Amino acid sequence: MTERYAEKIETALKSFITDHPGTLTREQAISTILENWFASHGYLPPQQEGLRPEELDASNDD
C-alpha cells in the first residue's frame, strides 16, 4: 500500500469515527466498516437493527 493511499484511508477512518460518536476506538470503527461492507455485499446476513439516525429522512416514514 502506498503512503498516499494509506494517508487517505487514515483520513477517512478519522472522519468516520468523528461522524459516529458511539465508535470509541479505531478497532471498533474498522470492525463496523467491515461488518457493514460484508453485509451490504452479501457476505454476512443484513443486520436487523433498523436505520441509524443519520440514515433517517422523510422517505423512511410509513
Side-chain angles (χ1 to χ4, degrees), residues 3-24:
E3 182 64 31
R4 185 169 188 217
Y5 185 71
E7 188 177 316
K8 288 180 180 181
I9 296 290
E10 193 62 37
T11 299
L13 186 57
K14 288 177 183 176
S15 294
F16 180 89
I17 291 169
T18 300
D19 290 345
H20 296 83
T23 305
L24 303 176

Side-chain angles (χ1 to χ4, degrees), residues 14-35:
K14 288 177 183 176
S15 294
F16 180 89
I17 291 169
T18 300
D19 290 345
H20 296 83
T23 305
L24 303 176
T25 67
R26 186 176 194 278
E27 289 75 21
Q28 286 175 325
I30 292 169
S31 179
T32 298
I33 292 164
L34 287 173
E35 187 175 332

Side-chain angles (χ1 to χ4, degrees), residues 35-55:
E35 187 175 332
N36 289 339
W37 189 91
F38 286 136
S40 69
H41 287 81
Y43 295 101
L44 284 174
Q47 298 174 353
Q48 299 298 314
E49 296 178 19
L51 297 175
R52 293 180 174 265
E54 63 268 16
E55 295 170 339

